[in-house]
Structure formats: structure tokens, C-alpha cells
Amino acid sequence: MVSSFTVVTRAQVSVERLFDQSLSIDAHVESMARSGERAVAGVTSGLIGLGETVTWSARHFGWRFRMTSKITALEHPRRFVDEQVRGPFRTFRHEHLFEVQGEETVMTDILTIASPVFGRLAERWVLVPYLQRLIRQRNDVLVRAAES
């Protein structure tokens, strides 16, 4: 089965600044400090670009995971997509959308996932809420970094 969800974040920063923070490997590592997530191959620091990959190592649910993601679409500063090319998910696609609404930048994360480990109910009741929390925490760190 495939699950999808959306997280919307509003910020008082420029769309360009928030977009670049979202492509920053260093900002991502900072935002995932709780899980010990780090970049171990591919682009391991700075901004990742179109066609480039990063391999993440992290501990989630008590297990150490490795996941390689590739930037498959990039339209600065409006949209980019990262997709798992190797890792624990059957499907992992993360679309990042950015738009200006009045004085705010609105960042919308759309995730589509399918896990070979969890069944549909566990995916919906455990994995999706867990990932939603991670994305919200990540976005909070990205917004704070963009504001400084």
C-alpha cells in the first residue's frame, strides 16, 4: 500500500532563503540530531543539486537505517523532489513546494511512502504520524536557521 500526507509550514523569511535551507545537507543533519542522522556518501555537506544523491544513516524505531536519496526535480526557488533510490522503503518520494503568500513563505511538504516492513494499518497509525513529526521538527529548524 502507499500512504501520502502533507505538512504545511509558514515562515516570515524569503522564499529563496528557505528553499536553500531545505537543500542544505548541514541543516538537515542539524534538524535530525535526535536520530543521529548523518550524511555518509554522495553529497555530505553544503547544498545538494539536481541529479545528485546523498546516503543517510540514522536510527529510527531502534534500528539503524541507510537510505540513498536523489534530487529528481529542481526548479529554484519553487520546487524540488527527492526520491529514495536505495533503502528501507518500497516507495519514498518527498516533494517540496515553496510559494509566497503576502508577507509569508509557505513551504508544503508532500510525502508518498510505502514500507515493506509495516502493513497498511501500522503504516497509517505508526509510520505516517512519526514521519509527520520528523518533518515538522525539521521544518522548525530550517525556519529558525533561515531567520538568523
Side-chain angles (χ1 to χ4, degrees):
M1 301 309 282
V2 175
S3 296
S4 292
F5 64 90
T6 301
V7 174
V8 176
T9 305
R10 297 177 176 279
Q12 298 288 324
V13 298
S14 76
V15 67
E16 293 84 2
R17 181 99 170 108
L18 192 53
F19 188 91
D20 287 346
Q21 282 296 316
S22 295
L23 286 172
S24 169
I25 300 296
D26 305 303
H28 183 87
V29 168
E30 180 184 340
S31 73
M32 294 290 142
R34 283 184 171 174
S35 63
E37 195 160 320
R38 63 190 200 285
V40 297
V43 178
T44 58
S45 65
L47 299 183
I48 191 167
L50 182 61
E52 294 181 323
T53 63
V54 58
T55 299
W56 301 105
S57 175
R59 184 172 303 278
H60 296 285
F61 299 109
W63 293 305
R64 172 88 30 211
F65 289 97
R66 280 189 181 237
M67 182 171 113
T68 301
S69 294
K70 180 177 185 175
I71 303 299
T72 58
L74 194 150
E75 302 155 24
H76 193 277
R78 300 289 176 224
R79 173 182 178 267
F80 72 93
V81 176
D82 63 87
E83 298 184 68
Q84 174 191 281
V85 294
R86 190 171 37 256
F89 292 92
R90 279 190 300 120
T91 300
F92 188 96
R93 183 177 190 276
H94 186 175
E95 184 173 12
H96 309 252
L97 303 171
F98 301 81
E99 64 179 318
V100 176
Q101 290 182 358
E103 302 284 319
E104 292 182 316
T105 293
V106 178
M107 176 171 58
T108 303
D109 295 272
I110 304 167
L111 279 89
T112 303
I113 61 163
S115 172
V117 176
F118 298 110
R120 178 72 173 152
L121 286 177
E123 196 172 273
R124 173 173 277 167
W125 295 102
V126 176
L127 188 57
V128 167
Y130 181 78
L131 289 172
Q132 286 172 320
R133 272 191 311 279
L134 281 181
I135 295 298
R136 285 187 188 101
Q137 290 169 357
R138 173 186 177 272
N139 289 353
D140 288 346
V141 171
L142 296 179
V143 168
R144 283 195 309 271
E147 290 172 340
S148 63

